Amino acid sequence: MQSDLEPGAQTAGFIPLSVPNLSETEWRYVRDCLDTNWISSAGSYVTRFEEDVAKAVGARFGVAMSSGTAALHIALKLADVRPGDEVVLPSLTFIAPANAVRYLDAFPVFVDVEPDCWQLSPDQLAGFLSTDCESADGGVRNRHTGRRVAAILPVDLLGHPCDLDAIHEIARRFGLSVVEDAAESLGAQYRGAPVGGISNLSALSFNGNKIVTTGGGGMLTTADRELADRARYLSKQAKDDALESMHREVGFNYRLTNVQAAIGCAQLERLSEFVERKREIARRYTEELGLVPGITPAREASWARSTYWLYTVLVDPDEFGCTSRELAETLYTEGIQARPLWQPLHLSPAHSQSFACPCPVANRLNRDAISLPCSTGLEEGEQEQVIRAVRRAAR
Ligand SMILES: *Cc1c(COP(=O)(O)O)cnc(C)c1O
């Protein structure tokens, strides 16, 4: 989110929401790229980064991409999402997965998140597929739009996994593929298994605000060699010959550079340290702010290990004494960056042509939720400042 900060936001005294945590190792690896002239889209760091990420998430293959959105685009294409199809995803999410669906001339369908951990609701999902859809050609069709439903796109939000077993079971029952958007949740676990290695196709992001960053970048992970090969092929303009420029189909320029991968390799060495630090920050916030009337901290499901990528609380305006937006304003005047969650996509003009189920929880989260500073480099004194400022703002 560094790039979203006002100029000077990183100057002394300002506490940003979430910024990268870089060390000497990043410098060393980047320098190595520059010294050896390997700065572009081939190079040993790209391969190493793919292997290291795949290993970290327990996937057999990783294919580096220029962004998480690019990884989602390719993953949806590999899941055989075709023009005019529909893909079901939560209304509450960063817009990238819905946009990736549109890149294929398919349409998102929005369902609500559940109120406990704010993830895609398996009940709402099953409800949509059984009530709003009818069977057609071995799959299902949305009765309202007449479109074929091709896939489910669960998004592991804010560092917390979705209930993946339930979602995969529903996918099997209705003959749908699953593309998991794990962009916000590298390092999180579902029933002891890391996200990114559970669904057959997953997408990760290494944008500047994510737990591990390459500045900008992403990765598709899969257990399937054929899918990995095809993803790599499509990300390199679908080039068919090592020597001649020949192409059987339209590909994409979605490659990650060696310099970015070098940063990623260094970052990934610290993934467990970063997750521990995020969880420590969350523990302290929850202990201190959980006692403030009107504040409800994000919860962790019994089967989940969250990274608390963006530490978020709900503000009940009546009990707390002001709204989430007023709290954000107050914090800002004290040099603390806080931010509401995304506009639910069923309300987004960018996706007004999409079908949506009622999404009261997404609406409430957009109205009442606010994310607090939680960079892995956040110092104890800074966190104390945030906690005090929130307490002072309370009635
Ligand atoms: C960050 C993010 C992405 C991918 O973002 P890029 O900036 O393209 O890497 C995708 N989905 C979600 C939910 C995200 O938060």
CSV table of all heavy atoms in Angstrom, one decimal, residues 2 16 18 20 33 76 106 117 125 247 254 257 267 279 319 324 347 370:
chain,number,residue,atom,x,y,z
A,2,GLN,N,2.1,1.0,0.0
A,2,GLN,CA,3.1,2.1,0.0
A,2,GLN,C,2.7,3.1,-1.1
A,2,GLN,O,2.7,4.3,-0.8
A,2,GLN,CB,4.4,1.6,-0.3
A,2,GLN,CG,5.6,2.4,0.2
A,2,GLN,CD,6.8,1.6,0.2
A,2,GLN,OE1,6.9,0.5,-0.4
A,2,GLN,NE2,7.9,2.1,0.7
A,16,PRO,N,2.2,3.7,8.7
A,16,PRO,CA,1.4,3.2,7.6
A,16,PRO,C,0.7,1.9,7.9
A,16,PRO,O,1.1,1.2,8.8
A,16,PRO,CB,2.5,3.0,6.5
A,16,PRO,CG,3.7,2.8,7.2
A,16,PRO,CD,3.6,3.4,8.6
A,18,SER,N,0.4,-1.0,6.0
A,18,SER,CA,1.2,-2.2,5.8
A,18,SER,C,2.3,-2.0,4.7
A,18,SER,O,1.9,-1.7,3.5
A,18,SER,CB,0.3,-3.4,5.4
A,18,SER,OG,1.1,-4.6,5.3
A,20,PRO,N,6.4,-2.9,3.0
A,20,PRO,CA,7.4,-4.0,2.8
A,20,PRO,C,8.4,-4.0,3.9
A,20,PRO,O,8.7,-2.9,4.5
A,20,PRO,CB,8.0,-3.8,1.5
A,20,PRO,CG,7.0,-3.0,0.7
A,20,PRO,CD,6.3,-2.1,1.7
A,33,CYS,N,21.9,-10.1,-9.8
A,33,CYS,CA,21.3,-10.0,-11.1
A,33,CYS,C,22.0,-8.9,-11.9
A,33,CYS,O,22.3,-9.1,-13.1
A,33,CYS,CB,19.8,-9.6,-11.0
A,33,CYS,SG,18.8,-10.8,-10.1
A,76,LEU,N,-7.9,-19.2,-14.6
A,76,LEU,CA,-9.3,-19.3,-15.0
A,76,LEU,C,-9.4,-19.9,-16.4
A,76,LEU,O,-10.3,-20.7,-16.8
A,76,LEU,CB,-10.0,-18.0,-14.9
A,76,LEU,CG,-10.3,-17.5,-13.5
A,76,LEU,CD1,-10.6,-16.0,-13.5
A,76,LEU,CD2,-11.5,-18.3,-12.9
A,106,ALA,N,-16.2,-13.8,-19.4
A,106,ALA,CA,-17.1,-14.5,-18.6
A,106,ALA,C,-17.6,-13.4,-17.5
A,106,ALA,O,-17.1,-12.3,-17.5
A,106,ALA,CB,-16.4,-15.6,-17.9
A,117,CYS,N,-15.9,-15.5,10.2
A,117,CYS,CA,-14.6,-15.3,9.7
A,117,CYS,C,-14.5,-14.6,8.4
A,117,CYS,O,-13.4,-14.4,7.8
A,117,CYS,CB,-13.8,-16.6,9.7
A,117,CYS,SG,-13.8,-17.5,11.2
A,125,LEU,N,-23.2,-20.3,-1.1
A,125,LEU,CA,-22.7,-20.9,-2.4
A,125,LEU,C,-23.6,-22.1,-2.8
A,125,LEU,O,-24.1,-22.1,-3.9
A,125,LEU,CB,-21.3,-21.4,-2.2
A,125,LEU,CG,-20.6,-22.1,-3.4
A,125,LEU,CD1,-20.5,-21.2,-4.6
A,125,LEU,CD2,-19.3,-22.6,-3.0
A,247,HIS,N,3.7,-19.1,-33.4
A,247,HIS,CA,2.7,-19.2,-32.3
A,247,HIS,C,1.4,-19.8,-32.8
A,247,HIS,O,0.9,-19.4,-33.9
A,247,HIS,CB,2.4,-17.8,-31.8
A,247,HIS,CG,3.6,-17.0,-31.5
A,247,HIS,ND1,4.1,-16.8,-30.2
A,247,HIS,CD2,4.5,-16.3,-32.3
A,247,HIS,CE1,5.2,-16.1,-30.2
A,247,HIS,NE2,5.5,-15.7,-31.5
A,254,TYR,N,3.2,-12.2,-19.5
A,254,TYR,CA,2.9,-12.2,-18.1
A,254,TYR,C,4.1,-12.7,-17.3
A,254,TYR,O,3.9,-13.3,-16.2
A,254,TYR,CB,1.7,-13.1,-17.8
A,254,TYR,CG,0.3,-12.5,-18.0
A,254,TYR,CD1,-0.8,-13.3,-18.0
A,254,TYR,CD2,0.2,-11.2,-18.3
A,254,TYR,CE1,-2.1,-12.7,-18.1
A,254,TYR,CE2,-1.1,-10.6,-18.5
A,254,TYR,CZ,-2.2,-11.4,-18.4
A,254,TYR,OH,-3.5,-10.8,-18.6
A,257,THR,N,10.3,-10.8,-13.9
A,257,THR,CA,11.7,-10.7,-14.2
A,257,THR,C,12.6,-11.3,-13.1
A,257,THR,O,12.1,-11.5,-12.0
A,257,THR,CB,12.1,-9.2,-14.3
A,257,THR,OG1,12.0,-8.6,-13.0
A,257,THR,CG2,11.2,-8.4,-15.3
A,267,GLN,N,12.8,-12.5,0.2
A,267,GLN,CA,11.6,-12.3,1.1
A,267,GLN,C,11.1,-13.6,1.6
A,267,GLN,O,10.7,-13.8,2.8
A,267,GLN,CB,10.5,-11.6,0.2
A,267,GLN,CG,10.7,-10.2,0.0
A,267,GLN,CD,10.1,-9.3,1.1
A,267,GLN,OE1,8.9,-9.2,1.2
A,267,GLN,NE2,11.0,-8.8,1.9
A,279,ARG,N,1.1,-12.6,13.4
A,279,ARG,CA,0.2,-13.2,14.4
A,279,ARG,C,0.4,-12.6,15.8
A,279,ARG,O,-0.5,-12.4,16.6
A,279,ARG,CB,0.4,-14.7,14.5
A,279,ARG,CG,-0.1,-15.4,13.2
A,279,ARG,CD,0.1,-16.9,13.3
A,279,ARG,NE,-0.5,-17.6,14.4
A,279,ARG,CZ,-1.8,-18.0,14.4
A,279,ARG,NH1,-2.6,-17.8,13.4
A,279,ARG,NH2,-2.2,-18.6,15.5
A,319,GLU,N,-22.2,1.5,20.0
A,319,GLU,CA,-21.5,1.1,21.2
A,319,GLU,C,-20.2,1.8,21.3
A,319,GLU,O,-19.8,2.2,22.4
A,319,GLU,CB,-21.3,-0.4,21.1
A,319,GLU,CG,-22.1,-1.2,22.1
A,319,GLU,CD,-21.5,-2.6,22.3
A,319,GLU,OE1,-21.6,-3.4,21.3
A,319,GLU,OE2,-20.8,-2.8,23.3
A,324,SER,N,-16.8,3.7,11.7
A,324,SER,CA,-15.5,3.3,11.2
A,324,SER,C,-14.8,4.4,10.4
A,324,SER,O,-13.6,4.6,10.6
A,324,SER,CB,-15.6,2.0,10.4
A,324,SER,OG,-16.4,2.3,9.2
A,347,LEU,N,-22.1,-4.1,-5.5
A,347,LEU,CA,-22.5,-2.7,-5.6
A,347,LEU,C,-21.6,-1.9,-6.5
A,347,LEU,O,-21.7,-0.7,-6.7
A,347,LEU,CB,-22.4,-2.1,-4.2
A,347,LEU,CG,-23.3,-2.7,-3.1
A,347,LEU,CD1,-23.1,-2.0,-1.8
A,347,LEU,CD2,-24.8,-2.6,-3.5
A,370,ILE,N,-12.6,-2.0,9.7
A,370,ILE,CA,-11.4,-1.1,9.5
A,370,ILE,C,-10.1,-1.8,9.8
A,370,ILE,O,-10.0,-2.6,10.8
A,370,ILE,CB,-11.6,0.2,10.4
A,370,ILE,CG1,-10.5,1.2,10.0
A,370,ILE,CG2,-11.5,-0.1,11.8
A,370,ILE,CD1,-10.9,2.6,10.5
